Every structure is written in C-alpha cells, then in structure tokens.
Amino acid sequence: MTLKKYWQKRKFKETPEPRGKVLKTRKYRFVVQEHRATHHHFDFRMEMEGVLKSWAVPKGVPEKIGIKRLAVQTEDHPISYASFEGVIPRGCYGAGTVKIYDRGKYELIEKAKDRIIFTLKGKKIKGIYNLIKFKGRKNQWLLFKTR
Ligand code: MN
C-alpha cells in the first residue's frame, strides 16, 4: 500500500489536508465527506490495509435499498484524512470545502478484487452495502444498499 498518488497530487505548503502515512491500525472506520468542489460530490472512504480506500460518489451514498449509485475509485488517502474538514484553497487539487457527512465503523462481510460487501454503522448511514466493480472499466463501481 502506498500514498504516492495522494502525495503527488497535493502541495502540503498550500493545502490544509494531512500528509499522513500508511499505518498498521485495523479499526475498520469509514467516513463520508461532502466535498463542494468544481463538482459537488461525496467521498466514501473505508479503512483497509493501512490506508483509506476511496471512492467519489457524485450523488452520495444511497440510504435506501434499491438505489444504485456510481462510485469512482480515487487514490488511497491516509487514515488521518477521516477526520479532515476544511477549505482546500483555490488552485489546489480538489479546491473547495470538505465537511464530514457521516462516519463510524464498518464490518467486512466479503472482499474480492471486484466486490466488497460490508455493514456500515454510521449515525445516518447504516446497513449492508455492496461495492461492485464494472467489468472492463477502470475505476468505476456501483454502490448500493441491500438487505
Ligand atoms: Mn472529493
């Protein structure tokens, strides 16, 4: 696991985002951050293998069963990013405001290369979720809630 891409995209003299590092903790946290950038979206991140695996979800994490949302996988973020809120200055990567929408713990049910199933235990977002990778597409996944 590496944060190389995360570090390459950012200038830490200019952005308040954490530099972070790969950690060994295994606390199974997740966070959903509302990101008002060029395009308003939500970022879903889950702690896995010492980093936060991350997806940009344009329409947000579905809170009802039956709604499928596109989730575009983005670069791994440091675990310390889970508590980040603030303003990323103009000219910086991801410029705009970041606010925590929800956070909590999750339990992993199943994990394969193209399929992650887990239970989210947030304040607003709860239940069993599936992330299923589109075949033949690079970073595109579907995120939906199931029974
Ligand atoms: Mn974002």
Side-chain angles (χ1 to χ4, degrees):
M1 260 338 113
T2 172
L3 291 169
K4 213 171 155 186
K5 274 191 195 159
Y6 173 86
W7 290 326
Q8 277 172 352
K9 286 173 187 273
R10 290 168 178 81
K11 295 172 194 145
F12 292 99
K13 279 182 183 164
E14 293 168 24
T15 180
E17 295 166 292
R19 181 182 292 270
K21 56 182 176 185
V22 178
L23 297 174
K24 280 179 187 164
T25 54
R26 304 193 94 219
K27 283 195 176 159
Y28 298 100
R29 282 169 285 197
F30 83 94
V31 65
V32 177
Q33 284 154 323
E34 185 175 11
H35 190 177
R36 293 186 182 276
T38 315
H39 299 281
H40 175 244
H41 62 275
F42 292 80
D43 290 297
F44 172 68
R45 311 186 198 281
M46 61 200 303
E47 190 174 333
M48 218 172 245
E49 297 160 34
V51 295
L52 293 176
K53 292 284 166 193
S54 298
W55 288 263
V57 188
K59 292 185 174 175
V61 177
E63 290 174 42
K64 287 181 187 165
I65 292 166
I67 301 167
K68 290 186 176 170
R69 294 273 162 84
L70 174 70
V72 181
Q73 190 166 15
T74 57
E75 76 275 17
D76 294 345
H77 279 51
I79 287 169
S80 53
Y81 207 94
S83 53
F84 175 73
E85 285 190 311
V87 179
I88 302 169
R90 209 181 298 166
C92 289
Y93 178 72
T97 60
V98 177
K99 237 180 98 181
I100 293 170
Y101 175 78
D102 198 14
R103 62 190 300 187
K105 292 198 172 159
Y106 78 89
E107 269 172 25
L108 196 59
I109 297 171
E110 192 187 321
K111 187 177 174 266
K113 210 181 151 199
D114 55 358
R115 179 183 172 85
I116 309 169
I117 304 171
F118 46 93
T119 306
L120 295 182
K121 298 173 172 183
K123 286 211 172 97
K124 299 175 201 164
I125 302 170
K126 303 167 202 272
I128 299 171
Y129 281 84
N130 294 239
L131 263 169
I132 308 290
K133 196 170 189 283
F134 280 104
K135 279 198 180 79
R137 284 195 239 169
K138 211 180 161 201
N139 298 315
Q140 296 187 14
W141 299 64
L142 267 184
L143 174 61
F144 56 94
K145 186 175 180 177
T146 48
R147 251 172 248 287

